[in-house]
Amino acid sequence: MPKTSARLLALLSLLQTRRNWPGEDLAGRLRVSTRTVRRDVDRLRELGYPITTFKGPDGGYRLDAGSQLPPLLFDDDQAVALAVALQTVTTTGAGVGEAAARALNTVRQVMPARLRHRIDTVQVTAVERPATRPDVRVDGSVLVALSAAVHAGEVLRFDYAAAFAPEADDGGVLTPPRRVEPHHLVTWGGRWYLVAWDLDREDWRTFRADRITPRSPTGPRFAPREVPGGDVAAFVAERFRGFDGSGDRLCRGEVILHLPAAVVSPFVRGGVVEELGPDRCRLVLGSWSWPGLAAAIGRFDAEIEVVGPAELREAFAHLARRYARAAGGASVTPLPRRPGPPPAS
């Protein structure tokens, strides 16, 4: 490849990696003069790349969006990353699997033969973990609407479908419209969530994106707030571990399991396991609800001695009646529900 052509490709690759590039930095990376950088930028403009010049002490160049999509440049590592990302997008919970397959095919068609062969060797079968809850997908338009509100810093109004209730047979009920300051769109465990400041409740909330129906138009702009602790990833992880604002589980109980502690410990997150003997251990664990806690403990398939509290003992009795009636096909009267949903819904 002629030296000038190779340099143009290197320059284009750099311009694609970040928003603004000072001319001196580009010259240093390419080991040429700033004058040569200016000439190479002019050549790329002739090829249809919308490169603009910005002024200032660190004046330089940026690659802007144009009316047409010029040829894209991918190095080997980027080509592999693109192929893997588009083939595994179905595991993220975003309902864009078909669009991702079309995108991969479109990009593949315009790639050089060498890179096309490279991504063709990366064949990935995306297998999700066995479902322990209903499989849901979020419409791509909803993700775009939420992302746009986060990016613009504008108050968002939306209808929110409540979690499935035992007495409901339609998959959930609609609550009054919510008004929030959207701050972050996150994905966790194959689902998408909006982290926002709830204006009516004056507190942080996480909302499942698949239950959100955005309303338009959006509201006024707001000043960004900092999530508790300053780290959105840690904040979301804490919410989904079942902690409330004090750091304690809302429902916490203690039992003795007739299993060795070494068998129980690998499957306990956020709890305490204490060895009591070769075949017995004490387990202290928490959850959002007493039936949920009893069910989590029951999965160990061992004899259980309930230490307390009484609510946990009652939850075990309730599940025993429910399972017995399920086996016989009879109905079951639900326990009284806790007042209000948890913050992470």
Side-chain angles (χ1 to χ4, degrees):
M1 179 183 293
K3 184 176 181 181
T4 301
S5 298
R7 193 175 64 246
L8 288 176
L9 291 177
L11 173 59
L12 180 58
S13 181
L14 289 173
L15 290 171
Q16 290 179 162
T17 59
R18 71 190 221 196
R19 176 66 173 166
N20 294 326
W21 271 100
E24 292 287 349
D25 288 358
L26 286 174
R29 295 289 292 268
L30 298 172
R31 298 180 181 179
V32 297
S33 67
T34 55
R35 182 179 179 183
T36 299
V37 171
R38 286 196 299 270
R39 289 202 303 263
D40 288 347
V41 166
D42 288 338
R43 293 189 180 98
L44 289 176
R45 287 168 175 161
E46 292 172 358
L47 294 173
Y49 292 94
I51 303 173
T52 60
T53 303
F54 61 89
K55 306 292 185 179
D58 295 325
Y61 307 94
R62 73 167 62 95
L63 181 62
D64 287 336
S67 59
Q68 295 181 340
L69 181 66
L72 300 177
L73 176 66
F74 296 98
D75 60 30
D76 288 18
D77 290 339
Q78 289 174 325
V80 172
L82 181 66
V84 171
L86 290 175
Q87 291 182 67
T88 58
V89 70
T90 56
T91 64
T92 67
V96 294
E98 182 180 346
R102 296 199 311 269
L104 179 59
N105 184 62
T106 299
V107 172
R108 181 186 175 280
Q109 296 300 319
V110 299
M111 280 186 172
R114 178 180 60 81
L115 284 183
R116 189 183 310 125
H117 173 73
R118 187 171 178 84
I119 68 169
D120 284 347
T121 63
V122 184
Q123 296 295 325
V124 181
T125 300
V127 180
E128 300 186 48
R129 291 178 299 178
T132 57
R133 53 190 178 180
D135 184 35
V136 294
R137 287 289 182 268
V138 185
D139 189 274
S141 62
V142 172
L143 294 180
V144 171
L146 299 182
S147 298
V150 171
H151 180 74
E154 296 175 342
V155 171
L156 181 67
R157 297 181 306 119
F158 57 85
D159 295 317
Y160 192 62
F164 181 80
E167 65 273 11
D169 59 2
D170 59 352
V173 293
L174 289 178
T175 58
R178 309 294 287 266
R179 296 185 314 115
V180 304
E181 296 176 353
H183 282 73
H184 300 277
L185 184 63
V186 301
T187 179
W188 183 87
R191 283 182 176 171
W192 291 83
Y193 297 87
L194 177 68
V195 179
W197 175 263
D198 193 310
L199 292 170
D200 296 321
R201 291 157 180 79
E202 297 186 344
D203 193 11
W204 289 96
R205 290 289 189 269
T206 56
F207 300 93
R208 273 179 46 178
D210 61 289
R211 295 177 180 170
I212 292 177
T213 303
R215 290 194 175 195
S216 61
T218 53
R221 295 178 62 87
F222 60 86
R225 303 172 188 261
E226 185 174 336
V227 297
D231 186 336
V232 65
F235 171 78
V236 171
E238 181 175 325
R239 287 295 176 101
F240 285 109
R241 279 197 298 266
F243 287 92
D244 64 4
S246 66
D248 294 327
R249 300 280 178 128
L250 297 182
C251 300
R252 197 170 190 86
E254 179 180 345
V255 300
I256 294 175
L257 292 177
H258 289 213
L259 282 175
V263 174
V264 176
S265 295
F267 303 98
V268 173
R269 294 184 59 188
V272 177
V273 180
E274 177 186 354
E275 184 176 358
L276 298 179
D279 296 310
R280 296 171 76 244
C281 67
R282 175 179 285 106
L283 172 63
V284 180
L285 194 62
S287 181
W288 283 116
S289 69
W290 294 112
L293 178 57
I297 296 172
R299 68 194 174 99
F300 288 103
D301 192 20
E303 293 297 320
I304 302 169
E305 302 174 32
V306 178
V307 177
E311 290 87 348
L312 179 58
R313 195 182 308 276
E314 181 183 353
F316 273 112
H318 170 70
L319 290 183
R321 294 191 298 270
R322 170 176 288 172
Y323 294 154
R325 291 170 181 171
S331 61
V332 59
T333 302
L335 282 175
R337 302 188 69 194
R338 290 184 57 84
S345 50

